[in-house]
Structures are given as structure tokens and as C-alpha cells.
Amino acid sequence: MRPVRKAVIPAAGLGTRFLPATKSVPKEMLPIIDRPAIEYVVEEAVGAGLTDILIVTGRTKRAVEEHFDRNIELELALERDGKADLLRAVQYSNTLADVHYVRQREALGLGHAVSVARHHVGDEPFAVLLPDDLMIDDSVLLRAMVAAYEQHGNAVVSLQEMRPEEISSYGCADPIGEPVDGLVELRGIVEKPKREDAPSNLAVSGRYLFPPQIFDALDRIEPGAGGELQLTDAIALLLKEQPVYGAICTFGRYDVGQKIDFLKASVELALDRDDLGPAFATYLKDLVQRRGLA
Ligand code: UTP
């Protein structure tokens, strides 16, 4: 079996939940503190051993490409001014991985965005990472998913337990029995089910490992929930031909496409930083007291 070394990051969506900020700035470029969200996601892929990254972009997403390219003028200015730390920070994104791009000409849905990666991926297994799901876990989940794929040779999707009232916003998995070591085989998967029809409270949470056969399934899907070509529908087709597993994610996930999780991720990452953490923690304690939030 070929090792997993490629990752696809679909970043061609319209980002409507973050308007008006995303009118001209790609959602994936919104900073979590001082680094764009997508940089954390590329870093996670690299941390799991995936060094060939394909970003699916669209109109208005040029800033994403600029970010992973060199900016010679800026580098020279920082070097001239002796700003070594900033120079390292600026160069970091263009040394992280081998980053490629393909355009999705129309935002027809996540399934369609993944299908345009076919030519680049070829006949290899690959990971898909949604850039609006931020994992603060040192690539633990993705590494476990790669290991599971390399053991079974079948698709693996990340799953997170949700409250029953939230499940209708997500892809929802139907597991067979209980997870063993965080992994469970699936009987089915359905996109945005009504609460009363949901087969479980396990939502698909933005990380996937696929065999190349997913592209044949993507060729066969029709517009589904919301009129979009849904990746979940292709996984349901794949399930009819081969096993698909779920990897349970228990910590570290922030859906930064939602404002509340965007704020939570910023707070948690700020607390983790040596340069900001201590002062920010003092501020938070004071704020909680002043507002009577404790
Ligand atoms: P979302 O539905 O969360 O992102 O898709 P969105 O459409 O950009 O955001 P809202 O809902 O309008 O606020 C999940 C991921 O799939 C990508 C998005 O960029 C996002 O990273 N995507 C979605 C595409 O690349 N193409 C599409 O046609 C749809």
C-alpha cells in the first residue's frame, strides 16, 4: 500500500458566516492572534507527516497563495532592520511544506471542491483537512487517522460527539457498535439529518483519510443538502463498496467558521503562548471578576 503523503485543503467556500469580514479577505486568512487560520492547518498536516499540500482556492483567495510564497522585499527590509524573529515568522509559511494550488471555478460544494484535486492526487491515498476546523492537538488525531488508514487501507473520517440539537448542522455517522481504541466502523453516514432522523450524535468533524476510489464516488453524486455537491454523499456511496471507519476526536477541535469557536480558539492559543499567556491570563482573571462571571 502506498504511504499517505498528500493533503487537500478545500478553501474555496464563500465564508458567508463571517461577512462582512470575508467580503474581501478569505475566511482562511482571518488571523488567530497573529497567524492566519490556514497556517495552523498546514502545520497540523506537516505534523502528521503530510508534506505535499494542495489548497483548493477560488476567486478572492489570492491572499492564501501570497501567504505561502516568499515576500522578498519584506524579508530584505526585516533583515536590514535586524528583526530576526519577524523574519523567521515571515519565512516559516513558505518553508513548511510543498504547497500547490488548484482553482474550484464555482463554489458547488465541498464534494466538488475535493473532486477538483483528482489530477494532483492521482492514484494515491490522501487526507482532507477543512481549514475552518482548527485542531489544537499537536496533530494527534490526524496521526492516528493516518496510522489507521495505513493499517486497514480504508477511509477514515473524524467524528465528534455533539449535543442532539446541534447534529442537524453536520454530517452524521451511524456507527457499528462501540469504538475500540478510538476507532469504529460505520454502517452509514448522512449529511445534515433532522434531529429526529439522526442515527447518532457523532458529527463528522473536518478531517478525512481517503483511498483514491473516493473520486469515482464523487463523480456519481448529485446535489444534496443545501443544493450542494456533498462530500458526505460520496462517502455514503464508498461505504456500499468498502468499509469506512470513524476516528473519535475527544479534544482540541474548534470550528472557527463559527464566531464563538473562533473566539475560544484565540483565547486558548493566546494562553499557550509564552509572549502573551501570562499577561493575558492576568487580564482574563481580572475581567471575570469585574464582570462577575465566576
Ligand atoms: P463551509 O460550508 O464551512 O464553508 O465549508 P463556507 O461555505 O466557506 O462558509 P459559510 O458556511 O458560507 O460561512 C467547509 C470548507 O469547505 C470549503 C470551504 O472553504 C471550507 O473550508 N468549500 C466549501 C470549498 O472549498 N468549496 C465549496 O464549494 C464549499
Side-chain angles (χ1 to χ4, degrees):
M1 196 197 320
R2 301 179 76 162
V4 188
R5 54 186 198 96
K6 291 184 175 172
V8 173
I9 302 182
L14 301 177
T16 50
R17 283 170 294 168
F18 259 91
L19 283 169
T22 47
K23 184 178 172 191
S24 58
V25 177
K27 176 170 79 172
E28 300 75 17
M29 290 301 295
L30 295 179
I32 314 275
I33 311 177
D34 51 7
R35 299 167 62 199
I38 196 165
E39 187 177 298
Y40 294 92
V41 177
V42 172
E43 195 175 46
E44 179 196 343
V46 173
L50 313 176
T51 49
D52 179 318
I53 312 286
L54 179 73
I55 303 181
V56 182
T57 66
R59 275 182 301 282
T60 78
K61 302 284 179 163
R62 193 156 292 164
V64 175
E65 297 184 31
E66 300 291 349
H67 185 70
F68 291 101
D69 198 357
R70 291 190 69 179
N71 182 334
I72 308 278
E73 195 182 349
L74 181 59
E75 287 179 32
L76 286 174
L78 293 171
E79 208 171 298
R80 185 194 59 217
D81 297 343
K83 295 184 172 163
D85 286 353
L86 284 178
L87 181 62
R88 258 195 304 280
V90 160
Q91 290 173 331
Y92 179 67
S93 54
N94 57 267
T95 50
L96 253 180
D98 195 6
V99 183
H100 307 266
Y101 303 92
V102 62
R103 294 270 289 229
Q104 183 191 19
R105 276 182 267 176
E106 216 181 324
L108 297 176
L110 178 57
H112 182 254
V114 174
S115 76
V116 302
R118 184 174 204 156
H119 183 69
H120 181 87
V121 170
D123 196 22
E124 290 192 36
F126 65 106
V128 172
L129 288 82
L130 303 193
D132 44 10
D133 273 312
L134 207 69
M135 293 298 304
I136 305 179
D137 72 338
D138 288 328
S139 308
V140 167
L141 176 72
L142 194 60
R143 272 205 303 274
M145 291 174 70
V146 170
Y149 182 88
E150 289 181 345
Q151 192 186 345
H152 297 281
N154 296 118
V156 188
V157 303
S158 66
L159 300 175
Q160 187 178 13
E161 214 168 299
M162 294 283 164
R163 290 197 303 272
E165 62 272 24
E166 294 172 320
I167 199 74
S168 54
S169 305
Y170 295 91
C172 176
D174 184 3
I176 302 172
E178 291 300 313
V180 176
D181 293 333
L183 206 65
V184 66
E185 194 176 335
L186 304 187
R187 184 183 297 114
I189 189 164
V190 53
E191 185 64 29
K192 299 188 176 63
K194 285 191 192 142
R195 181 177 172 173
E196 57 275 21
D197 298 334
S200 75
N201 57 354
L202 289 172
V204 180
S205 69
R207 299 293 179 267
Y208 310 80
L209 255 296
F210 288 125
Q213 290 83 1
I214 191 70
F215 291 117
D216 296 329
L218 284 164
D219 275 349
R220 287 183 276 135
I221 56 171
E222 301 285 336
E228 296 193 349
L229 291 165
Q230 296 287 355
L231 181 59
T232 306
D233 294 344
I235 301 171
L237 288 182
L238 190 69
L239 250 169
K240 292 187 179 154
E241 291 155 11
Q242 51 179 275
V244 172
Y245 291 87
I248 313 291
C249 159
T250 49
F251 72 100
R253 175 187 178 241
Y254 292 94
D255 177 1
V256 294
Q258 293 194 51
K259 288 164 206 165
I260 186 76
D261 266 26
F262 186 89
L263 291 170
K264 289 180 191 172
S266 303
V267 170
E268 181 155 354
L269 282 165
L271 288 171
D272 282 347
R273 292 248 306 233
D274 293 341
D275 60 338
L276 294 169
F280 192 51
T282 307
Y283 163 75
L284 280 182
K285 278 186 220 151
D286 178 54
L287 183 73
V288 164
Q289 209 167 34
R290 263 191 296 124
R291 302 246 173 160
L293 295 172

